[in-house]
Amino acid sequence: MKAFFTQRNNFGHLLFWILLAVNIYPIFSVAYFYTGDGPAHLYNATLLNDLLFSENPFSNHFFEIRSLFIPNMGGHALLCFFLQFLDPAIAEKMVYALEILLLAVGFKSVLGLREDGNVWPLFLILPLLNNFCFYIGFQSFCLALGLALFVCRLLFDTRFGKSNRITLAFSLLLLFTAWCHIVPAIFVLIAWFSFQLDSLLKKKYVFRVKSLISIFPAIIFSGTFILQNSGQNSFETLDFLEPWKLLLSFQALIPYNLIDQRLAVLFYTALILIGLIFVFIYTNEYQNRATLLTALFLLALYFILPNNFSQGGYLSIRLLLGVFVFLAVFIAFNLSLKFTLVLAPLLIAINIAQIYQNKEEINYLSAYAEKVLDSTQHIPPNMTMVPLVYSSHWIHYNLGLYPSAFVSGANMDNYEASETEFPVRWKVNLAPDHRLGLFGSSRRPPFALEPYESETGERIDIVLRIGYEESMTSDSTTVKTNELLNSRFVKTAQGEKYQVWERKE
């Protein structure tokens, strides 16, 4: 019997790694793995490398490093590293592959604490790999989410708070997670509190100074940043119905708003609920109840905190993803072997369906990006550029930054340089603000040269039009833009999805 169990577990491990490779394959199957925030992160990582290593005088003129000690550095740091020896398109693919790998292996690491060695609950994490945050390009958050599971592995170890080595490793890894992104670090802090509360409820609570001290570095690091940038915080009135709409639409687990995907996510949610029911009915003593408490706390915060709380947006979706992850951990800890063997094939089927359903959109976005990036061969280096994006696709909001990740220059659409949670910032008075028009937030982008040029003494050298069609000239904004381009610029190149306009002498 033991040999049979071992053989079945070995097969489960092998199948898990094969499916993990299947989930990573779509990233490398296309020329460009395009995500919403990806172009902005990639461009600013190239600027960081210029400012840190190459001393590029052109980049230094417009940008400077705000700080490298910001709780949102995971994606930028990895991109900076990979860009040292890889093409930008490959560099960002490596980051996305690591996001999937860290989340899956982090989940596997936590489940290593199961006493019976059952590996089949691992498959609960597979449908969560294809989530909204991953495909929207929240690189630092996704990397930190995987790291948070490794930190929880140390937290739930029976030696935590007693062993200096385990407790120190927990403290350092939690601090590193906070440096990568603050929100998953907060997940861990909630898990730490839940762990203490669970011990108290079991009447087995022992106050350990080491355990308390271990969370101080991450709290001090994150708290210092928040207090220093408290003036940037924004709060909106909470809409009572909005959280319910977001919850019932399963947006946190659906990357491209695909109707077909909702069925797979609904099926997965049903399996999670069935798993919970089986756990509560057939389990006498729950393992790691702190994970369930963490999920409940995150769900409560989801309904309490506005979506744009503090510096970041999309907080609600991040919290919902955290709820699913910690619920999956709790179920995986407590579901018996026979039930996980029944659920595993269904989870695998859901995951394969997700990959298949995402394929068409991944291919479309890659093909579009490829056509846009053909423009880079016509854009001279070290120029100031304004991108005008006319594409109506909802995820193309940062598309205008993509070419600048491949050709050095100052892109006027660099919104990250105006936000406190990113490492690169504009130098004084050089940020375009609204002085060049609202070209970064419109699909019929208003564009002007004044008052920016007269106030800064800088000149706009290149205008890159993306997704423009002649049929769009009917609105007054586009008419004015055409007049400005024809009078002050000359069209030097045109492709299927782009026009390059260069400033007249």
mmCIF file of all heavy atoms in Angstrom, residues 401-436:
data_model
loop_
_atom_site.group_PDB
_atom_site.id
_atom_site.type_symbol
_atom_site.label_atom_id
_atom_site.label_comp_id
_atom_site.label_asym_id
_atom_site.label_seq_id
_atom_site.Cartn_x
_atom_site.Cartn_y
_atom_site.Cartn_z
ATOM 1 N N LEU A 401 3.929 53.369 -24.864
ATOM 2 C CA LEU A 401 5.233 53.282 -24.205
ATOM 3 C C LEU A 401 6.076 52.115 -24.721
ATOM 4 O O LEU A 401 7.286 52.068 -24.469
ATOM 5 C CB LEU A 401 5.047 53.140 -22.689
ATOM 6 C CG LEU A 401 4.557 54.392 -21.955
ATOM 7 C CD1 LEU A 401 4.106 54.034 -20.545
ATOM 8 C CD2 LEU A 401 5.643 55.444 -21.910
ATOM 9 N N TYR A 402 5.447 51.188 -25.418
ATOM 10 C CA TYR A 402 6.153 49.969 -25.819
ATOM 11 C C TYR A 402 7.346 50.245 -26.731
ATOM 12 O O TYR A 402 8.441 49.726 -26.493
ATOM 13 C CB TYR A 402 5.164 49.010 -26.477
ATOM 14 C CG TYR A 402 5.381 47.558 -26.124
ATOM 15 C CD1 TYR A 402 6.126 47.162 -25.014
ATOM 16 C CD2 TYR A 402 4.830 46.539 -26.901
ATOM 17 C CE1 TYR A 402 6.305 45.835 -24.692
ATOM 18 C CE2 TYR A 402 5.004 45.204 -26.582
ATOM 19 C CZ TYR A 402 5.741 44.852 -25.480
ATOM 20 O OH TYR A 402 5.925 43.534 -25.159
ATOM 21 N N PRO A 403 7.202 51.038 -27.786
ATOM 22 C CA PRO A 403 8.364 51.278 -28.654
ATOM 23 C C PRO A 403 9.550 51.890 -27.918
ATOM 24 O O PRO A 403 10.707 51.616 -28.257
ATOM 25 C CB PRO A 403 7.808 52.242 -29.721
ATOM 26 C CG PRO A 403 6.345 51.961 -29.748
ATOM 27 C CD PRO A 403 5.980 51.668 -28.329
ATOM 28 N N SER A 404 9.292 52.713 -26.894
ATOM 29 C CA SER A 404 10.392 53.368 -26.175
ATOM 30 C C SER A 404 11.189 52.400 -25.320
ATOM 31 O O SER A 404 12.284 52.749 -24.858
ATOM 32 C CB SER A 404 9.836 54.494 -25.296
ATOM 33 O OG SER A 404 9.299 55.516 -26.104
ATOM 34 N N ALA A 405 10.656 51.202 -25.092
ATOM 35 C CA ALA A 405 11.422 50.178 -24.382
ATOM 36 C C ALA A 405 12.475 49.557 -25.296
ATOM 37 O O ALA A 405 13.412 48.911 -24.820
ATOM 38 C CB ALA A 405 10.488 49.091 -23.850
ATOM 39 N N PHE A 406 12.332 49.775 -26.608
ATOM 40 C CA PHE A 406 13.246 49.190 -27.590
ATOM 41 C C PHE A 406 14.148 50.239 -28.243
ATOM 42 O O PHE A 406 15.186 49.896 -28.799
ATOM 43 C CB PHE A 406 12.443 48.449 -28.668
ATOM 44 C CG PHE A 406 11.672 47.269 -28.151
ATOM 45 C CD1 PHE A 406 10.449 47.442 -27.516
ATOM 46 C CD2 PHE A 406 12.177 45.976 -28.265
ATOM 47 C CE1 PHE A 406 9.747 46.349 -27.034
ATOM 48 C CE2 PHE A 406 11.477 44.881 -27.789
ATOM 49 C CZ PHE A 406 10.258 45.075 -27.157
ATOM 50 N N VAL A 407 13.737 51.523 -28.181
ATOM 51 C CA VAL A 407 14.546 52.613 -28.723
ATOM 52 C C VAL A 407 14.673 53.673 -27.635
ATOM 53 O O VAL A 407 13.668 54.190 -27.143
ATOM 54 C CB VAL A 407 13.900 53.237 -29.980
ATOM 55 C CG1 VAL A 407 14.758 54.393 -30.487
ATOM 56 C CG2 VAL A 407 13.727 52.196 -31.069
ATOM 57 N N SER A 408 15.883 54.020 -27.254
ATOM 58 C CA SER A 408 16.094 54.966 -26.155
ATOM 59 C C SER A 408 15.543 56.337 -26.507
ATOM 60 O O SER A 408 15.614 56.786 -27.647
ATOM 61 C CB SER A 408 17.586 55.074 -25.826
ATOM 62 O OG SER A 408 18.298 55.577 -26.946
ATOM 63 N N GLY A 409 14.954 56.980 -25.501
ATOM 64 C CA GLY A 409 14.402 58.308 -25.702
ATOM 65 C C GLY A 409 13.502 58.687 -24.546
ATOM 66 O O GLY A 409 13.301 57.909 -23.616
ATOM 67 N N ALA A 410 12.955 59.902 -24.588
ATOM 68 C CA ALA A 410 12.048 60.376 -23.543
ATOM 69 C C ALA A 410 10.630 60.297 -24.065
ATOM 70 O O ALA A 410 10.240 61.047 -24.967
ATOM 71 C CB ALA A 410 12.397 61.801 -23.150
ATOM 72 N N ASN A 411 9.866 59.378 -23.514
ATOM 73 C CA ASN A 411 8.473 59.208 -23.916
ATOM 74 C C ASN A 411 7.595 60.060 -23.000
ATOM 75 O O ASN A 411 7.588 59.881 -21.784
ATOM 76 C CB ASN A 411 8.073 57.738 -23.830
ATOM 77 C CG ASN A 411 6.747 57.445 -24.523
ATOM 78 O OD1 ASN A 411 5.741 58.085 -24.248
ATOM 79 N ND2 ASN A 411 6.762 56.456 -25.412
ATOM 80 N N MET A 412 6.836 60.966 -23.584
ATOM 81 C CA MET A 412 6.031 61.911 -22.808
ATOM 82 C C MET A 412 4.803 61.269 -22.166
ATOM 83 O O MET A 412 4.103 61.920 -21.396
ATOM 84 C CB MET A 412 5.580 63.069 -23.712
ATOM 85 C CG MET A 412 6.723 63.917 -24.206
ATOM 86 S SD MET A 412 7.508 64.858 -22.869
ATOM 87 C CE MET A 412 9.217 64.419 -23.114
ATOM 88 N N ASP A 413 4.549 60.004 -22.456
ATOM 89 C CA ASP A 413 3.403 59.307 -21.869
ATOM 90 C C ASP A 413 3.801 58.511 -20.626
ATOM 91 O O ASP A 413 3.046 57.663 -20.157
ATOM 92 C CB ASP A 413 2.776 58.368 -22.910
ATOM 93 C CG ASP A 413 1.363 57.937 -22.522
ATOM 94 O OD1 ASP A 413 0.726 58.654 -21.722
ATOM 95 O OD2 ASP A 413 0.909 56.884 -23.006
ATOM 96 N N ASN A 414 4.976 58.784 -20.091
ATOM 97 C CA ASN A 414 5.503 57.999 -18.973
ATOM 98 C C ASN A 414 4.813 58.387 -17.657
ATOM 99 O O ASN A 414 5.343 59.156 -16.853
ATOM 100 C CB ASN A 414 7.016 58.192 -18.855
ATOM 101 C CG ASN A 414 7.638 57.247 -17.834
ATOM 102 O OD1 ASN A 414 6.976 56.354 -17.306
ATOM 103 N ND2 ASN A 414 8.909 57.441 -17.563
ATOM 104 N N TYR A 415 3.633 57.811 -17.430
ATOM 105 C CA TYR A 415 2.849 58.154 -16.239
ATOM 106 C C TYR A 415 3.535 57.686 -14.957
ATOM 107 O O TYR A 415 3.358 58.303 -13.883
ATOM 108 C CB TYR A 415 1.445 57.537 -16.326
ATOM 109 C CG TYR A 415 1.410 56.078 -15.951
ATOM 110 C CD1 TYR A 415 1.101 55.689 -14.643
ATOM 111 C CD2 TYR A 415 1.695 55.083 -16.883
ATOM 112 C CE1 TYR A 415 1.080 54.353 -14.286
ATOM 113 C CE2 TYR A 415 1.675 53.758 -16.526
ATOM 114 C CZ TYR A 415 1.358 53.398 -15.233
ATOM 115 O OH TYR A 415 1.354 52.062 -14.881
ATOM 116 N N GLU A 416 4.310 56.594 -15.016
ATOM 117 C CA GLU A 416 4.968 56.081 -13.815
ATOM 118 C C GLU A 416 5.874 57.131 -13.180
ATOM 119 O O GLU A 416 6.002 57.204 -11.954
ATOM 120 C CB GLU A 416 5.791 54.822 -14.137
ATOM 121 C CG GLU A 416 4.977 53.567 -14.287
ATOM 122 C CD GLU A 416 5.848 52.325 -14.301
ATOM 123 O OE1 GLU A 416 7.055 52.429 -13.986
ATOM 124 O OE2 GLU A 416 5.328 51.238 -14.621
ATOM 125 N N ALA A 417 6.493 57.937 -14.015
ATOM 126 C CA ALA A 417 7.432 58.939 -13.510
ATOM 127 C C ALA A 417 6.731 60.064 -12.752
ATOM 128 O O ALA A 417 7.400 60.902 -12.131
ATOM 129 C CB ALA A 417 8.252 59.515 -14.665
ATOM 130 N N SER A 418 5.401 60.069 -12.791
ATOM 131 C CA SER A 418 4.632 61.080 -12.050
ATOM 132 C C SER A 418 4.004 60.509 -10.784
ATOM 133 O O SER A 418 3.352 61.241 -10.041
ATOM 134 C CB SER A 418 3.514 61.654 -12.945
ATOM 135 O OG SER A 418 4.050 62.239 -14.108
ATOM 136 N N GLU A 419 4.189 59.208 -10.529
ATOM 137 C CA GLU A 419 3.570 58.546 -9.378
ATOM 138 C C GLU A 419 4.631 58.182 -8.340
ATOM 139 O O GLU A 419 5.743 57.766 -8.682
ATOM 140 C CB GLU A 419 2.834 57.278 -9.825
ATOM 141 C CG GLU A 419 1.791 57.512 -10.906
ATOM 142 C CD GLU A 419 0.610 58.319 -10.409
ATOM 143 O OE1 GLU A 419 0.360 58.310 -9.183
ATOM 144 O OE2 GLU A 419 -0.060 58.966 -11.236
ATOM 145 N N THR A 420 4.270 58.307 -7.056
ATOM 146 C CA THR A 420 5.253 58.101 -5.979
ATOM 147 C C THR A 420 5.613 56.634 -5.758
ATOM 148 O O THR A 420 6.622 56.347 -5.110
ATOM 149 C CB THR A 420 4.704 58.656 -4.650
ATOM 150 O OG1 THR A 420 3.455 58.023 -4.342
ATOM 151 C CG2 THR A 420 4.511 60.146 -4.734
ATOM 152 N N GLU A 421 4.820 55.696 -6.280
ATOM 153 C CA GLU A 421 5.097 54.284 -6.008
ATOM 154 C C GLU A 421 5.996 53.629 -7.050
ATOM 155 O O GLU A 421 6.104 52.393 -7.098
ATOM 156 C CB GLU A 421 3.794 53.491 -5.876
ATOM 157 C CG GLU A 421 2.938 53.413 -7.121
ATOM 158 C CD GLU A 421 1.881 54.486 -7.189
ATOM 159 O OE1 GLU A 421 2.094 55.569 -6.601
ATOM 160 O OE2 GLU A 421 0.851 54.251 -7.848
ATOM 161 N N PHE A 422 6.651 54.447 -7.880
ATOM 162 C CA PHE A 422 7.565 53.917 -8.887
ATOM 163 C C PHE A 422 8.947 54.561 -8.717
ATOM 164 O O PHE A 422 9.056 55.696 -8.240
ATOM 165 C CB PHE A 422 7.020 54.160 -10.293
ATOM 166 C CG PHE A 422 5.736 53.427 -10.566
ATOM 167 C CD1 PHE A 422 4.526 54.104 -10.584
ATOM 168 C CD2 PHE A 422 5.741 52.055 -10.766
ATOM 169 C CE1 PHE A 422 3.341 53.425 -10.826
ATOM 170 C CE2 PHE A 422 4.558 51.368 -11.010
ATOM 171 C CZ PHE A 422 3.359 52.050 -11.035
ATOM 172 N N PRO A 423 10.007 53.875 -9.148
ATOM 173 C CA PRO A 423 11.375 54.338 -8.823
ATOM 174 C C PRO A 423 11.913 55.477 -9.673
ATOM 175 O O PRO A 423 12.858 56.152 -9.271
ATOM 176 C CB PRO A 423 12.221 53.074 -9.022
ATOM 177 C CG PRO A 423 11.450 52.250 -10.011
ATOM 178 C CD PRO A 423 10.002 52.517 -9.726
ATOM 179 N N VAL A 424 11.360 55.698 -10.869
ATOM 180 C CA VAL A 424 11.845 56.762 -11.752
ATOM 181 C C VAL A 424 10.866 57.931 -11.714
ATOM 182 O O VAL A 424 9.653 57.726 -11.673
ATOM 183 C CB VAL A 424 12.004 56.242 -13.198
ATOM 184 C CG1 VAL A 424 12.328 57.379 -14.155
ATOM 185 C CG2 VAL A 424 13.094 55.179 -13.268
ATOM 186 N N ARG A 425 11.396 59.141 -11.718
ATOM 187 C CA ARG A 425 10.511 60.308 -11.746
ATOM 188 C C ARG A 425 11.037 61.353 -12.731
ATOM 189 O O ARG A 425 12.227 61.381 -13.079
ATOM 190 C CB ARG A 425 10.383 60.928 -10.363
ATOM 191 C CG ARG A 425 11.649 61.563 -9.818
ATOM 192 C CD ARG A 425 11.422 62.114 -8.429
ATOM 193 N NE ARG A 425 12.663 62.590 -7.815
ATOM 194 C CZ ARG A 425 12.790 62.882 -6.527
ATOM 195 N NH1 ARG A 425 11.748 62.734 -5.715
ATOM 196 N NH2 ARG A 425 13.935 63.301 -6.048
ATOM 197 N N TRP A 426 10.120 62.234 -13.168
ATOM 198 C CA TRP A 426 10.509 63.353 -14.016
ATOM 199 C C TRP A 426 11.338 64.347 -13.212
ATOM 200 O O TRP A 426 11.106 64.544 -12.025
ATOM 201 C CB TRP A 426 9.269 64.087 -14.532
ATOM 202 C CG TRP A 426 8.432 63.329 -15.500
ATOM 203 C CD1 TRP A 426 7.295 62.627 -15.231
ATOM 204 C CD2 TRP A 426 8.644 63.217 -16.912
ATOM 205 N NE1 TRP A 426 6.787 62.070 -16.375
ATOM 206 C CE2 TRP A 426 7.587 62.419 -17.434
ATOM 207 C CE3 TRP A 426 9.616 63.708 -17.785
ATOM 208 C CZ2 TRP A 426 7.481 62.103 -18.779
ATOM 209 C CZ3 TRP A 426 9.508 63.400 -19.131
ATOM 210 C CH2 TRP A 426 8.456 62.612 -19.619
ATOM 211 N N LYS A 427 12.260 64.979 -13.864
ATOM 212 C CA LYS A 427 12.957 66.096 -13.225
ATOM 213 C C LYS A 427 12.017 67.306 -13.163
ATOM 214 O O LYS A 427 11.006 67.367 -13.879
ATOM 215 C CB LYS A 427 14.234 66.438 -13.991
ATOM 216 C CG LYS A 427 15.345 65.420 -13.754
ATOM 217 C CD LYS A 427 16.677 65.893 -14.280
ATOM 218 C CE LYS A 427 17.788 64.938 -13.867
ATOM 219 N NZ LYS A 427 19.110 65.372 -14.375
ATOM 220 N N VAL A 428 12.361 68.233 -12.302
ATOM 221 C CA VAL A 428 11.487 69.373 -12.017
ATOM 222 C C VAL A 428 11.096 70.100 -13.309
ATOM 223 O O VAL A 428 11.950 70.441 -14.139
ATOM 224 C CB VAL A 428 12.184 70.353 -11.046
ATOM 225 C CG1 VAL A 428 11.305 71.584 -10.813
ATOM 226 C CG2 VAL A 428 12.470 69.658 -9.726
ATOM 227 N N ASN A 429 9.768 70.265 -13.461
ATOM 228 C CA ASN A 429 9.158 71.045 -14.546
ATOM 229 C C ASN A 429 9.173 70.355 -15.903
ATOM 230 O O ASN A 429 8.661 70.893 -16.883
ATOM 231 C CB ASN A 429 9.830 72.421 -14.690
ATOM 232 C CG ASN A 429 8.969 73.397 -15.489
ATOM 233 O OD1 ASN A 429 7.750 73.442 -15.282
ATOM 234 N ND2 ASN A 429 9.577 74.128 -16.399
ATOM 235 N N LEU A 430 9.758 69.136 -15.989
ATOM 236 C CA LEU A 430 9.829 68.476 -17.293
ATOM 237 C C LEU A 430 8.685 67.495 -17.534
ATOM 238 O O LEU A 430 8.517 67.005 -18.649
ATOM 239 C CB LEU A 430 11.172 67.768 -17.456
ATOM 240 C CG LEU A 430 12.392 68.688 -17.592
ATOM 241 C CD1 LEU A 430 13.663 67.876 -17.762
ATOM 242 C CD2 LEU A 430 12.205 69.650 -18.762
ATOM 243 N N ALA A 431 7.917 67.177 -16.502
ATOM 244 C CA ALA A 431 6.750 66.312 -16.688
ATOM 245 C C ALA A 431 5.746 67.027 -17.587
ATOM 246 O O ALA A 431 5.474 68.223 -17.409
ATOM 247 C CB ALA A 431 6.113 65.984 -15.347
ATOM 248 N N PRO A 432 5.173 66.335 -18.576
ATOM 249 C CA PRO A 432 4.262 67.008 -19.511
ATOM 250 C C PRO A 432 2.965 67.454 -18.857
ATOM 251 O O PRO A 432 2.343 68.407 -19.323
ATOM 252 C CB PRO A 432 4.000 65.940 -20.580
ATOM 253 C CG PRO A 432 4.314 64.644 -19.920
ATOM 254 C CD PRO A 432 5.409 64.928 -18.937
ATOM 255 N N ASP A 433 2.573 66.779 -17.745
ATOM 256 C CA ASP A 433 1.298 67.091 -17.088
ATOM 257 C C ASP A 433 0.196 67.114 -18.149
ATOM 258 O O ASP A 433 0.048 66.164 -18.892
ATOM 259 C CB ASP A 433 1.384 68.421 -16.320
ATOM 260 C CG ASP A 433 2.508 68.412 -15.296
ATOM 261 O OD1 ASP A 433 2.612 67.404 -14.578
ATOM 262 O OD2 ASP A 433 3.284 69.382 -15.228
ATOM 263 N N HIS A 434 -0.542 68.215 -18.218
ATOM 264 C CA HIS A 434 -1.557 68.337 -19.270
ATOM 265 C C HIS A 434 -1.147 69.375 -20.312
ATOM 266 O O HIS A 434 -1.951 69.772 -21.153
ATOM 267 C CB HIS A 434 -2.908 68.733 -18.663
ATOM 268 C CG HIS A 434 -3.474 67.676 -17.778
ATOM 269 N ND1 HIS A 434 -4.361 67.933 -16.773
ATOM 270 C CD2 HIS A 434 -3.254 66.334 -17.738
ATOM 271 C CE1 HIS A 434 -4.676 66.813 -16.152
ATOM 272 N NE2 HIS A 434 -4.018 65.832 -16.717
ATOM 273 N N ARG A 435 0.105 69.792 -20.231
ATOM 274 C CA ARG A 435 0.537 70.885 -21.102
ATOM 275 C C ARG A 435 0.670 70.461 -22.561
ATOM 276 O O ARG A 435 0.685 71.309 -23.453
ATOM 277 C CB ARG A 435 1.857 71.451 -20.588
ATOM 278 C CG ARG A 435 1.717 72.179 -19.258
ATOM 279 C CD ARG A 435 3.058 72.675 -18.746
ATOM 280 N NE ARG A 435 3.925 71.589 -18.318
ATOM 281 C CZ ARG A 435 5.161 71.755 -17.850
ATOM 282 N NH1 ARG A 435 5.676 72.987 -17.789
ATOM 283 N NH2 ARG A 435 5.892 70.735 -17.459
ATOM 284 N N LEU A 436 0.791 69.165 -22.812
ATOM 285 C CA LEU A 436 0.851 68.663 -24.193
ATOM 286 C C LEU A 436 -0.491 68.107 -24.656
ATOM 287 O O LEU A 436 -0.585 67.469 -25.699
ATOM 288 C CB LEU A 436 1.923 67.575 -24.310
ATOM 289 C CG LEU A 436 3.376 68.050 -24.344
ATOM 290 C CD1 LEU A 436 4.333 66.876 -24.219
ATOM 291 C CD2 LEU A 436 3.658 68.842 -25.604
#
